[in-house]
């Protein structure tokens, strides 16, 4: 059976593409790293792929605000193709900067499928600085197709300055009611909640469950050696992050 | 006319010096005279473009006059000796004598290259960006890291940058404002600015920063040191490069502006409060442009689209094109340089150190595909001319020839000068302070010293996980906050072969003897690599000297001593140097008091090695109650230059020395023991001695510890508890062993000095018994950790 095709989107300042690519390969996909210019110029068709991943990084330097320039490119140059892609069953995964892009382009949280205005934001961490640390995550009962059989507690690293998920109470209530909140930090206290996110939100999906965005980096915990305490703890060979990629690949296979 | 002629043919010596000084050329009289005589010979005055080109190419920064010149050296009133090239006779010499087959390229390219696996090599370079960081910490440090990343990109046909390492030296962070020399930024501001600059550049480039050190001393107040290092990985068949004559000269990346002009010559000046008015000497960084350049270059490299590459660093196009064309000649059209704005004189275009630019030599038939790759990712690329066979550097601007220089004169015309160096062993007052019986308070105080204290506040601002391969991280232990000795990264995901990187630096020892400072720095860097499981037989070193004004004989004398130690120690250890750099003239004059402040001569040794199976890597945090604690290596009464002596405001004279033959045996035995999985944790014993090393292992592991100093192996006269606790003798490690491995471990270490000094305990008490059997430290790991973390809890 042909391996499902994953498009890993690159642009100026993308920098987690290598390990995201590796994660999808481990999960059994056929991957290609595609520069956004190739999509805009129609050299590559999104519709030829089953999954699109927007990796972490600092797209266009995060000038103005994190992810906003790439978000605008998606919004003003590619939005119809993207909506069509998701409508036809395609998956989108945004990690860290990719999550920021999805939120700022209105693709997340998309409380109804045809909504593409921005409903939330990822603001500066309450610590006011970039931080790299490992955090515990709890999974909510959720709509996402990326989380089948995922264990309830994940341990993954974050590395960002703008990861504080903010939305109005009304939106947050709807997200909770719809099962669109996928991951939460385990307590509201810093540094377990590393950025001050409302309701400890670390990752959300859209109302179809086929778009997932998260601040923590699942591609950075694929094998035991990625864990910060692998020299002192008995750990499974496989890291907590890999299942997310495998679920995506299995879903479209 | 867009250029000027500089009237030097008939100038007298005073006028020559004035021209050099006013033009910020940093050329001395002999060099100005050589230029005068050359141009008199061809019967004309040089243009401004020509004389600026010569000044950049001949600058200390680019040509390393001190390290390559002649030195008349007098040690301790003995007969003077002549050193014919300090670098060649010490650091390069030892590498040649060791002649390691796994060294692929040493002291030739922009970075050193060593073998990694069958298909890949490693490149490694560390350099400084001290002067710019003193004037503008954020921009200076950011472009420092940006510059060293381009060194990796410009090595061979271009390496992919995979790891950053940074070491900083600052003035005291709590310095009183009225002690601040005129015109100097406060050390805390410099500290915060430098960290932000490195953070924003490194993180945006997507390169993990996972190793480093930060040191503090009043003498760095006017001249902070910013060492930036980068490791890259490169296919083994992409390490050779050669300009082909007829190739197009292509510049890619950033546009050229009036930023960073005279950076190369500026680094040969002492600083004072007028330095910030020297113009636009500090470069302006834009990491995303550099990331774009990296992305397209790696693709073009793999398609074989260019023949040679180098980075545009100090001296800008002048250095890059001048060096690449040195064997042939080059013809350049400055009109084609892509500018940020109009109004630059041709010499400014030619010298600008505008960032994120690389110069590439492209065969005519590859020009279109090369430019197409750049265009596809919106990267600027411009053809500026071509490499010729005229043996001349010819520069055109607006239909005029603005420079027509012989390559031979440019690269070989610099007169060799003899500098004077004197070294006399200083005698410091004998430390004389009240020595308390109970050392609990002292241990807490040393843990809180800025040099020793936790740098977590800094480390977490760097992304040390990006690229997904960091398997021994800068912070380790039960709460992910203990100080790792070195980092290990897996450059190829899916492989278990790792790269180990560590540093060694201790300027306090240099106050007693720079020879032993250098020896100790090498020993420390190697110990750090060994402590996590790196291979001893694959360690390569980098040297980075930051020193005062080498035209002053006492400063240069110390430099000679340090370089000699590099030869001696590296020879016995079998660890070649593969690259290095020097930053001299780190002095500051306070114009309000006339006081001259020089940095302590500071040598950073960076070590890189490999680990074949990362599964055998270990970390420094204790793992299990009941395990045994051993010290390996002999403790001597060597508290000179130690933190223990320093907190009592003394320097002392008994500096730790390296005994390389025994050191080598220790390191080899431990290397085998780790490889045979006999060690649960291992920590380098350095700043703060056994006391600090054991405390760090205990609180990182979350277990208590019981130690008995009477069991510490030591020299005959070493019996005072405080000396045993805090002496910083070299070639020592603290290790944790499971009781079931005790016999095998002791057998493995047969022939070296070691002993069991205690054990890991359940609970949180940290207890040390003195030689006489009484309790000299009684505290908890929580309190120890609090002291260690409190200093930079910003």
């Amino acid at each position: 059976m042909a391996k499902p095709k994953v498009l890993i989107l690159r642009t100026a300042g993308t920098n987690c593409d290598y390990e995201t690519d590796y994660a999808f390969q481990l999960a059994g996909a056929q991957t290609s790293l595609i520069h956004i210019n190739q999509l805009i110029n129609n050299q590559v068709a999104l519709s030829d792929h089953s999954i699109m991943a927007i990796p972490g990084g600092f797209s266009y330097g995060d000038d103005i605000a994190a992810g906003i320039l790439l978000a605008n490119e998606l919004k003003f140059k590619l939005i119809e193709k993207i909506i069509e892609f998701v409508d036809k069953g395609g998956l989108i995964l945004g990690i860290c900067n990719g999550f920021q892009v999805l939120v700022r382009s209105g693709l997340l949280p998309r409380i109804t499928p045809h909504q593409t205005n921005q409903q939330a934001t990822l603001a500066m961490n309450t610590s006011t600085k970039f931080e790299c640390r490992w955090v515990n995550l709890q999974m909510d009962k959720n709509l996402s197709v990326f989380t089948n059989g995922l264990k309830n507690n994940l341990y993954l690293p974050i590395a960002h300055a703008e990861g504080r998920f903010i939305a109005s109470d009304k939106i947050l209530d709807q997200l909770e009611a719809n099962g669109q909140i996928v991951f939460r930090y385990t307590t509201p206290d810093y540094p377990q909640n590393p950025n001050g996110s409302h309701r400890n939100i670390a990752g959300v999906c859209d109302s179809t469950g086929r778009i997932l965005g998260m601040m923590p980096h699942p591609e950075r915990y694929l094998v035991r050696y990625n864990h910060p305490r692998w020299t002192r703890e008995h750990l499974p060979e496989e890291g907590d992050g890999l299942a997310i990629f495998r679920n995506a690949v299995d879903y479209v296979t | 006319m867009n250029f000027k002629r500089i009237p030097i043919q008939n100038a007298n010596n005073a006028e020559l010096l004035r021209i050099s000084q006013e033009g910020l050329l940093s050329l001395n009289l002999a060099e100005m005279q050589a230029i005068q005589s050359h141009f008199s010979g061809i019967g004309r005055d040089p243009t401004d473009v020509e004389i600026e080109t010569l000044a950049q190419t001949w600058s200390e920064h680019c040509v390393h006059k001190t390290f390559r010149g002649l030195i008349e050296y007098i040690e301790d009133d003995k007969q003077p000796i002549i050193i014919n090239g300090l670098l060649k006779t010490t650091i390069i010499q030892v590498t040649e004598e060791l002649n390691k087959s796994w060294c692929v390229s040493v002291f030739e390219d922009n970075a050193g290259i060593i073998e990694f696996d069958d298909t890949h090599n490693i490149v490694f370079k560390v350099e400084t960006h001290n002067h710019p960081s003193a004037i503008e910490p954020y921009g200076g440090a950011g472009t420092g890291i940006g510059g060293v990343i381009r060194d990796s990109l410009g090595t061979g046909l271009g390496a992919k940058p995979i790891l950053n390492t940074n070491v900083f030296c600052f003035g005291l962070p709590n310095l009183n404002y009225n002690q601040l020399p005129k015109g100097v930024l406060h050390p805390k501001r410099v500290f915060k600015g430098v960290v932000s600059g490195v953070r924003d550049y490194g993180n945006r480039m997507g390169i993990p920063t996972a190793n480093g050190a930060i040191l503090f001393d009043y003498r760095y107040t006017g001249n902070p040191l910013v060492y930036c290092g980068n490791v890259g990985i490169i296919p083994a068949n992409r390490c050779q490069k050669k300009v082909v004559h007829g190739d197009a000269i292509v510049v890619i990346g950033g546009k050229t502006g009036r930023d960073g002009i005279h950076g190369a010559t500026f680094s040969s000046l002492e600083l004072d409060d007028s330095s910030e008015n020297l113009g636009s000497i500090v470069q302006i960084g834009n990491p995303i442009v550099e990331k774009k350049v990296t992305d397209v270059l790696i693709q073009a490299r793999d398609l074989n689209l260019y023949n040679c590459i180098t980075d545009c660093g100090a001296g800008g196009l002048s250095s890059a094109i001048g060096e690449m064309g040195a064997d042939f000649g080059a013809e350049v059209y400055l009109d084609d340089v892509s500018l940020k704005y109009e109004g630059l004189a041709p010499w400014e275009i030619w010298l600008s150190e505008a960032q994120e630019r690389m110069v590439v030599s492209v065969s005519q038939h590859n020009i279109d595909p090369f430019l197409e790759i750049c265009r596809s990712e919106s990267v600027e690329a411009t053809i500026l001319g071509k490499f010729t066979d005229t043996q001349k550097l010819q520069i055109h601007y607006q239909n005029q020839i603005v420079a027509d220089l012989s390559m031979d004169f440019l690269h070989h015309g610099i007169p060799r000068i003899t500098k004077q160096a004197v070294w006399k062993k200083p005698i410091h007052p004998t430390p004389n302070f009240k020595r308390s019986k109970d050392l609990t308070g002292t241990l807490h105080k040393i843990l809180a010293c800025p040099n020793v204290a936790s740098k977590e506040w800094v480390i977490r601002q760097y992304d040390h996980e990006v690229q997904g391969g960091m398997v021994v991280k800068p912070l380790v232990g039960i709460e992910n906050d203990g100080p790792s000795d070195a980092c290990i990264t897996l450059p190829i995901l899916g492989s278990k072969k790792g790269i180990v990187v560590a540093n060694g630096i201790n300027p306090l020892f240099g106050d007693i003897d720079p020879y032993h400072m250098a020896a100790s720095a090498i020993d420390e860097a190697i110990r750090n690599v060994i402590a996590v499981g790196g291979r001893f037989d694959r360690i390569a070193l980098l040297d980075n000297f930051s020193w005062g004004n080498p035209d002053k004989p006492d400063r240069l004398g110390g430099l000679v001593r340090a370089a000699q130690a590099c030869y001696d120690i590296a020879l016995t250890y079998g660890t070649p140097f593969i690259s290095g750099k020097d930053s001299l003239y780190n002095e500051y004059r306070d114009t309000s008091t006339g006081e001259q402040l020089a940095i302590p001569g500071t040598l950073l040794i960076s070590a890189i090695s490999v680990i074949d199976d990362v599964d055998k890597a270990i970390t420094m945090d204790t793992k299990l109650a009941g395990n045994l604690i051993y010290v390996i290596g002999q403790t001597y009464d060597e508290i000179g230059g130690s933190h223990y002596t320093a907190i009592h405001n003394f320097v002392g004279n008994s500096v730790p020395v390296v005994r390389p033959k025994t050191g080598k045996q220790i390191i080899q035995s431990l290397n085998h023991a780790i490889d045979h999985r006999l060690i649960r944790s291992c920590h380098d014993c350095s700043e703060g001695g056994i006391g600090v090393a054991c405390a760090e292992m205990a609180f990182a592991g979350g277990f208590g510890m019981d130690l008995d100093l009477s069991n510490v192996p030591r020299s005959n006269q070493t019996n005072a508890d405080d000396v045993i606790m805090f002496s910083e003798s070299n070639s020592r490690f603290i290790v944790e062993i499971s009781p079931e491995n005790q016999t095998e471990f002791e057998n493995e270490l047969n022939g070296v000095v070691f002993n069991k000094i205690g054990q890991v305990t359940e609970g949180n008490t940290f207890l040390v018994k003195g030689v006489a059997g009484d309790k000299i430290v009684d505290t908890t790991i929580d309190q120890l950790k609090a002291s260690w973390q409190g200093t930079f809890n910003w």
Side-chain angles (χ1 to χ4, degrees):
Chain A
M1 190 169 54
K3 291 178 171 182
K5 288 167 82 172
V6 179
L7 183 153
I8 298 178
L9 187 67
R10 283 176 53 235
T11 189
T14 303
N15 65 32
C16 300
D17 43 335
Y18 171 57
E19 53 271 38
T20 305
D21 183 69
Y22 179 70
F24 272 112
Q25 285 180 24
L26 272 188
Q30 180 192 340
T31 58
S32 22
L33 295 167
I34 301 298
H35 195 278
I36 190 160
N37 289 351
Q38 294 173 278
L39 281 185
I40 293 170
N41 300 335
N42 293 314
Q43 290 162 294
V44 173
L46 179 57
S47 54
D48 289 344
H49 300 80
S50 308
I51 302 172
M52 176 167 80
I54 310 177
F58 291 81
S59 51
Y60 304 103
D62 280 355
D63 292 350
I64 307 173
I68 200 163
L69 296 178
L70 180 57
N72 281 346
E73 272 194 304
L74 297 186
K75 202 164 153 179
F76 297 113
K77 297 177 180 169
L78 294 165
I79 196 71
E80 290 84 11
K81 286 176 189 161
I82 293 173
I83 298 285
E84 189 191 344
F85 172 76
V86 178
D87 283 349
K88 289 188 171 165
L91 305 188
I92 300 179
L93 173 62
I95 303 167
C96 196
N97 197 235
F99 184 25
Q100 293 162 337
V101 169
L102 291 173
V103 168
R104 292 214 151 92
S105 62
L107 286 163
L108 280 177
R110 270 210 330 162
I111 289 177
T112 60
H114 295 289
Q115 197 161 16
T116 50
N117 59 323
Q118 190 179 338
Q119 295 166 313
T121 196
L122 287 154
M124 187 64 166
N125 298 348
T126 43
S127 67
T128 71
K129 54 180 187 278
F130 183 99
E131 281 190 70
C132 177
R133 62 169 75 244
W134 285 68
V135 293
N136 287 296
L137 299 173
Q138 238 166 16
M139 197 168 66
D140 272 33
K141 194 166 154 29
N142 66 76
L143 281 178
S144 170
V145 303
F146 291 82
T147 56
N148 284 337
L150 208 60
K151 62 176 188 169
N152 223 352
N153 299 298
L154 301 185
Y155 191 51
L156 293 175
I158 56 105
H160 60 249
E162 297 175 52
R164 185 181 184 212
F165 189 89
I166 295 180
S168 68
D169 279 331
K170 189 176 153 215
I171 297 278
L172 291 171
D173 290 343
Q174 280 181 296
L175 292 176
E176 282 181 350
N178 292 353
Q180 285 184 252
I181 295 171
V182 182
F183 300 114
R184 297 185 205 242
Y185 309 109
T186 49
T187 81
D189 308 319
Y190 174 84
Q192 288 78 23
N193 176 340
N195 47 36
S197 276
H198 285 178
R199 304 193 193 180
N200 304 322
I201 291 172
V204 299
C205 65
D206 76 335
S207 48
T208 70
R210 293 197 294 273
I211 305 181
L212 172 67
M214 58 195 294
M215 288 314 295
H217 286 270
E219 81 286 9
R220 295 184 183 185
Y221 186 20
L222 301 176
V223 295
R224 185 166 68 92
Y225 305 110
N226 290 134
H227 191 288
R229 295 186 301 275
W230 71 267
T231 61
R232 58 183 299 127
E233 290 177 12
H234 292 288
L235 298 165
E237 287 299 322
E238 181 179 311
D240 289 359
L242 184 58
I244 292 176
F245 299 94
R246 201 165 38 223
N247 279 331
V249 171
D250 289 350
Y251 179 83
V252 296
T253 301
Chain B
M1 287 272 275
N2 289 300
F3 64 94
K4 286 190 298 199
R5 292 207 180 267
I6 310 296
I8 66 166
Q9 285 191 87
N10 301 312
N12 62 31
N13 289 350
E15 285 165 345
L16 287 176
L17 282 174
R18 185 184 49 79
I19 290 167
S20 170
Q21 207 174 357
E22 286 179 358
L24 216 67
L25 302 177
S26 296
L27 292 167
N28 63 31
L29 183 59
E31 290 157 352
M32 286 301 288
Q33 286 169 335
I35 295 170
Q36 184 181 41
S37 134
H38 175 78
F39 281 93
S40 297
I42 56 176
R44 64 174 176 87
D45 280 319
T47 67
D48 50 1
V49 181
E50 288 170 332
I51 201 158
E52 293 280 1
T53 305
L54 286 161
Q56 302 307 307
T57 311
W58 293 5
S59 67
E60 181 68 59
H61 191 101
C62 293
V63 81
H64 308 285
K65 299 180 248 207
T66 303
F67 268 93
R68 294 181 196 272
L70 294 161
I71 297 174
E72 187 182 82
Y73 174 62
I74 302 174
E75 184 172 304
D76 284 332
D77 302 324
K78 287 184 260 188
Q79 281 299 310
I81 56 165
I82 297 288
I83 297 167
N84 186 357
L86 184 60
L87 188 68
K88 200 177 69 185
T89 56
T90 57
I91 289 164
I92 293 181
Q93 177 77 25
V94 69
T95 300
E96 284 175 358
E97 285 180 34
L98 291 170
N99 194 20
K100 297 288 183 188
S101 60
W102 44 270
C103 288
V104 178
S105 166
V106 295
F107 293 101
E108 278 175 4
D109 212 329
N110 286 312
I113 312 181
I114 56 172
E115 285 178 6
F116 177 62
D117 61 16
D118 293 342
T119 49
H120 290 86
N121 292 333
I122 303 169
V123 313
F124 190 22
K125 173 66 169 284
V126 177
E127 62 178 17
T128 57
H129 223 218
N130 301 336
H131 279 45
S133 302
I135 308 277
E136 209 282 86
Y138 182 86
T143 53
I145 194 71
V148 80
I149 292 166
R150 287 197 309 280
D151 277 329
S152 288
L153 277 177
T155 296
L157 287 170
K160 176 189 168 193
I162 56 163
L163 175 71
N164 288 335
T165 167
N166 302 289
V167 174
F168 311 135
C169 301
F170 300 123
L172 301 169
N174 53 359
L175 185 75
N176 201 315
Y177 272 89
N178 58 25
Q179 290 173 280
L180 208 56
K182 188 181 175 198
V184 166
L185 299 173
H186 191 277
K188 190 168 177 178
R189 165 145 177 225
V190 175
F191 181 6
K192 289 191 161 184
V194 165
V195 168
S196 306
V198 163
R199 174 196 66 203
D200 288 352
Y201 211 107
N203 290 351
R204 276 172 173 68
M205 283 297 293
I207 302 169
T209 300
N211 178 259
I214 308 177
L215 295 92
F216 302 87
D217 187 298
Y218 173 72
R219 292 167 289 176
Y220 296 118
T221 305
N223 297 87
L225 304 184
V226 174
Y227 293 98
C228 297
N230 182 263
V231 179
I233 188 113
I234 184 169
N237 61 5
R238 286 289 184 276
C239 294
Q240 303 297 323
K241 60 180 166 191
K242 196 167 166 46
V243 169
V244 177
H245 111 246
D247 278 3
I249 301 171
V250 183
V251 173
I252 79 162
K255 288 174 183 273
T256 299
R258 202 177 271 120
D259 43 322
I261 287 178
H262 282 146
T265 50
F266 169 59
S267 67
S268 300
L269 295 179
E270 295 181 2
L271 302 182
D272 63 26
D273 59 303
S274 69
S275 301
E276 65 178 356
N277 303 323
L278 288 178
S280 51
I281 35 186
V282 181
Q283 302 82 353
I284 301 167
N286 185 343
I288 295 308
V289 175
E290 188 147 309
K291 180 71 170 87
K292 285 163 63 177
V293 168
T294 308
D295 292 348
V296 296
L297 274 179
I298 300 295
Q299 296 173 50
R301 176 199 73 187
D302 291 342
L303 293 169
N304 236 335
L305 293 182
Y306 54 88
N307 300 322
C308 190
I309 182 167
T310 199
D311 78 300
C312 248
L317 296 172
S318 144
S319 287
I321 297 176
E323 275 172 35
M324 283 173 83
D327 297 337
F328 303 95
E331 193 174 55
V332 179
Y333 293 83
L334 292 179
D335 309 75
D336 297 334
V337 175
S338 173
L339 298 178
K340 293 182 182 179
Y341 35 75
E342 291 300 310
L344 275 72
W347 72 269
E348 291 177 309
I349 300 174
W350 184 235
L351 252 68
S352 164
E353 295 178 15
Q355 296 290 289
E356 292 91 27
R357 299 175 306 164
M358 302 290 293
V359 178
V360 187
S361 166
V362 183
S363 300
Q364 297 296 332
H365 67 270
N366 280 328
I367 291 177
D368 287 343
F370 182 82
L371 295 181
E372 178 49 37
I373 286 197
C374 295
R375 203 165 25 236
S376 72
E377 304 209 355
S378 315
V379 172
E380 288 259 354
T382 324
I383 300 172
L384 292 191
K386 62 177 189 212
F387 292 106
T388 60
D389 56 0
T390 58
Q391 311 294 331
K392 283 187 157 196
L393 176 62
Q394 290 169 312
I395 306 173
H396 302 255
Y397 186 64
Q398 297 186 345
N399 298 318
Q400 288 176 308
I401 293 185
V402 296
D404 187 2
L405 269 176
S406 135
M407 280 289 187
D408 184 55
F409 180 66
L410 178 61
H411 292 288
H412 306 291
I414 182 172
R416 253 180 126 202
I417 41 169
T418 303
K419 294 194 181 192
Q420 308 296 319
V422 173
W423 194 76
K424 220 171 149 53
K425 190 170 168 52
I427 312 242
H428 296 282
T430 304
N432 175 23
F433 50 84
K434 193 173 169 297
R435 295 164 75 163
S436 81
K437 196 87 199 90
D438 186 282
L439 298 176
T440 309
T442 311
L443 178 59
H444 280 279
K445 201 168 170 186
I446 297 177
L447 283 167
C449 277
N451 287 2
V452 177
S454 171
K455 308 297 185 306
E456 184 170 349
W457 178 80
V458 177
I459 295 167
R460 293 221 178 277
Q461 294 189 58
Y462 302 148
D463 190 343
H464 48 263
E465 300 280 357
V466 63
Q467 299 194 15
M470 199 57 61
V471 294
V472 171
K473 306 175 200 289
L475 296 166
V476 296
I478 190 163
E479 290 177 307
N480 303 340
D481 58 4
S484 188
D485 290 297
C487 69
I488 303 182
T489 188
L490 303 178
I492 295 160
L493 298 179
S495 156
K496 281 190 180 178
K497 185 155 187 169
I499 296 175
V500 188
V501 173
N503 286 291
I505 183 169
N506 200 327
L508 288 175
F509 295 169
D511 289 337
I512 304 171
D513 190 338
Y515 182 95
H516 297 300
M517 170 185 79
S520 300
I522 295 172
D523 199 75
E524 185 190 9
I526 293 174
R527 291 197 308 270
N528 282 325
V529 166
I530 297 302
V532 297
R535 269 174 72 171
F536 183 40
D537 63 353
R538 278 301 174 91
I539 294 180
L541 304 176
L542 306 184
D543 61 282
N544 262 274
F545 291 87
S546 288
W547 230 259
N549 185 341
D551 303 329
K552 298 173 182 170
D554 62 321
R555 319 282 205 258
L556 188 53
L559 191 65
V560 171
R561 285 282 294 167
Q564 287 172 337
C566 289
Y567 173 85
D568 293 343
I569 306 301
L571 186 67
T572 309
Y573 280 165
T575 50
F577 287 90
I578 55 166
S579 180
K581 198 91 188 189
D582 54 278
S583 160
L584 311 176
Y585 302 93
N586 288 290
E587 305 211 8
Y588 194 90
R589 198 166 59 88
D590 186 338
T591 54
S592 65
T593 61
E595 202 191 333
Q596 183 81 13
L597 189 65
I599 62 158
T602 306
L603 171 62
L604 170 68
I605 296 288
S606 307
I608 190 160
S609 183
V610 296
I611 179 166
D612 292 326
D613 179 0
V614 76
D615 197 64
K616 293 179 176 175
I618 54 173
T619 51
M620 52 70 69
D621 45 309
T622 50
K623 305 296 190 297
L624 193 63
N627 282 351
L628 313 172
I629 297 294
Y630 280 74
V631 60
I632 306 176
Q634 179 99 317
T635 300
Y636 297 86
D637 185 346
E638 292 176 324
I639 59 165
S642 69
H643 281 70
Y644 178 60
T645 309
I647 60 167
H648 295 99
N649 301 313
F650 283 91
V651 176
N653 296 294
S654 54
V655 66
V657 304
V658 175
R659 299 156 184 88
K661 284 202 181 101
T662 38
K664 185 178 183 178
Q665 285 175 328
I666 289 168
I667 291 166
Q668 271 170 341
S669 307
L670 177 60
N671 208 203
H672 289 140
I674 293 174
D675 192 48
H676 295 159
R677 300 182 188 270
L678 298 174
I679 314 273
R680 288 293 281 137
S681 63
C682 177
H683 198 20
D684 160 46
C685 194
S686 56
E687 290 166 328
I690 292 174
V692 164
C694 289
E696 288 176 344
M697 289 174 77
F699 65 63
F703 292 103
M705 202 179 271
D706 273 359
L707 299 173
D708 183 348
L709 292 189
S710 69
N711 292 325
V712 172
R714 55 196 189 272
S715 62
N716 285 335
Q717 286 80 34
T718 312
N719 284 311
D721 288 334
D722 56 349
V723 174
I724 300 171
M725 266 296 265
F726 302 122
S727 170
E728 298 181 8
S729 293
N730 285 296
S731 308
R732 294 180 308 157
F733 299 86
I734 311 292
V735 296
E736 177 196 3
I737 310 291
S738 301
E740 64 266 27
N741 287 330
Q742 189 174 10
T743 316
E744 204 182 334
F745 163 75
E746 292 190 356
N747 289 340
E748 189 78 62
L749 262 73
N750 190 21
V752 306
V753 171
F754 68 94
N755 205 12
K756 179 160 86 76
I757 61 165
Q759 61 182 333
V760 181
T761 58
E762 206 63 70
N764 67 353
T765 55
F766 186 87
L767 301 172
V768 183
K769 257 194 325 194
V771 170
D774 43 347
K775 211 179 272 177
I776 57 162
V777 173
D778 182 354
T779 183
T780 67
I781 55 168
D782 308 308
Q783 287 171 307
L784 290 167
K785 196 189 218 180
S787 293
W788 182 69
Q789 290 184 330
T791 308
F792 296 111
N793 192 10
W794 289 355

